[in-house]
Amino acid sequence: MKEKKVSQRVNWPITILLSLGLITILFPLYMAVVIAFKDPSEMTNSISGILSLPQKWSLQNFSEAIRVTDFWRSLFNSFLITIINLVCSILLHSMIGYAVGRNKAHSKFYNLVYLYIVSGMFVPFAILMMPLVKQTAQLGIANAIGVIVCYVVFYMPMNLLLYSGYLVNIPVALEEAARVDGASAFRTYWSIIFPIMRPMHATVAVLTALGTWNDVMTPLVIMSGTGMNTLPLAQMTFQTQFGTNYNLAFASYLLALIPILVFYLICQKQILNGVVNGAVK
């Protein structure tokens, strides 16, 4: 008997929406690349002049952007703040998520703690901005340390939500077996739970790193006047009262995009596993 071919119907509404979404992503990226490699003399007020390919591909804008923004020092500052925030967030938030996630189902206290922390996701930064500036100044941490402390607190609600949701997929029997063998709660967490949550660690790392790497407001209001710039702050030098140097600005944006893009590509598989397995049930 001949096998019947199964006809596959194309879901045109979804296909059209996905195509539009792809265009909305690729078009700004295309403009950024084209403008970054263009000579400023090629920029005109017409649409064709902006969207056309460069007559001569040049790296001059990139070298000038590196010089103007003190790129390597700003890159080091962003890298240092992001890495320290990632390490602190993964260690502290995973422990808090483990303690709260395992107890909130049968303890009103832990359930209230969970709701209290997660409710921080709904507080706008604009409300917290001025009190944070005042508090960090009074505590003497109106610098990179204060920025890191703020980041660890800011990302706690989202990360607690992710970690507590992922714990649903980890059998409690593993912890009970460890207790029978004489392991303490900390040893059980560090030796069994922490390694199992590796996909969620990758998810938390990328989401936290993206937010930290691209943030402008927190370093701007806390580190203002310290002379220490992150990459987003350094890129603000291209925007003046009288205009914007788009060629240098887009070249700088592409340079700042490369490190976080590489980090995302490395952790991509773990991120997908963490998102799928960490869905709150």
Side-chain angles (χ1 to χ4, degrees):
M1 296 178 63
K2 294 182 179 181
E3 295 182 358
K4 294 183 179 179
K5 293 183 178 180
V6 180
S7 60
Q8 296 182 352
R9 297 180 58 186
V10 178
N11 192 331
W12 287 109
I14 300 298
T15 303
I16 293 173
L17 288 176
L18 290 176
S19 300
L20 292 175
L22 181 63
I23 293 172
T24 57
I25 294 174
L26 291 180
F27 180 71
L29 182 61
Y30 167 80
M31 286 192 62
V33 173
V34 168
I35 295 175
F37 283 94
K38 271 186 178 181
D39 188 87
S41 61
E42 298 181 42
M43 297 289 292
T44 62
N45 294 327
S46 63
I47 299 297
S48 59
I50 296 176
L51 299 181
S52 61
L53 293 174
Q55 297 176 4
K56 181 181 178 181
W57 296 79
S58 174
L59 296 176
Q60 182 179 358
N61 292 326
F62 292 89
S63 60
E64 183 67 13
I66 291 175
R67 185 190 65 82
V68 171
T69 60
D70 196 4
F71 178 79
W72 298 113
R73 179 176 295 181
S74 301
L75 176 66
F76 175 77
N77 294 336
S78 290
F79 184 78
L80 183 65
I81 291 174
T82 302
I83 291 299
I84 296 177
N85 181 36
L86 285 184
V87 173
C88 294
S89 295
I90 290 176
L91 293 178
L92 295 177
H93 298 167
S94 61
M95 285 192 287
I96 296 172
Y98 172 63
V100 174
R102 279 294 189 242
N103 295 286
K104 68 184 180 72
H106 52 79
S107 172
K108 291 184 178 180
F109 172 75
Y110 281 99
N111 190 40
L112 288 174
V113 170
Y114 173 78
L115 294 176
Y116 174 75
I117 296 177
V118 172
S119 64
M121 298 175 62
F122 304 100
V123 180
F125 179 75
I127 297 178
L128 303 174
M129 184 168 59
M130 294 308 297
L132 282 176
V133 173
K134 187 69 174 178
Q135 290 176 3
T136 52
Q138 290 179 342
L139 294 173
I141 55 173
N143 47 35
I145 297 176
V147 172
I148 294 171
V149 171
C150 289
Y151 282 144
V152 172
V153 176
F154 290 162
Y155 289 101
M156 187 185 298
M158 179 185 67
N159 293 343
L160 173 61
L161 184 68
L162 293 173
Y163 277 122
S164 60
Y166 190 82
L167 279 170
V168 176
N169 301 290
I170 301 177
V172 182
L174 295 175
E175 301 163 52
E176 295 174 347
R179 293 194 190 98
V180 171
D181 292 338
S184 62
F186 182 78
R187 181 64 182 273
T188 300
Y189 162 77
W190 189 252
S191 301
I192 298 176
I193 303 301
F194 189 83
I196 293 177
M197 292 196 297
R198 188 177 302 169
M200 186 51 64
H201 295 327
T203 304
V204 167
V206 171
L207 294 177
T208 304
L210 283 172
T212 305
W213 190 268
N214 296 321
D215 185 40
V216 177
M217 290 304 300
T218 307
L220 179 63
V221 299
I222 294 180
M223 296 196 307
S224 179
T226 62
M228 183 177 180
N229 281 338
T230 59
L231 276 177
L233 287 182
Q235 291 167 351
M236 294 180 65
T237 59
F238 301 117
Q239 299 179 2
T240 65
Q241 180 181 359
F242 304 102
T244 301
N245 191 329
Y246 290 105
N247 301 93
L248 296 184
F250 281 111
S252 179
Y253 297 156
L254 291 179
L255 289 172
L257 175 65
I258 293 174
I260 200 69
L261 180 62
V262 172
F263 178 67
Y264 174 79
L265 293 176
I266 293 173
C267 301
Q268 184 178 16
K269 184 178 179 180
Q270 296 293 332
I271 296 168
L272 295 176
N273 292 336
V275 171
V276 173
N277 296 329
V280 181
K281 294 183 179 180

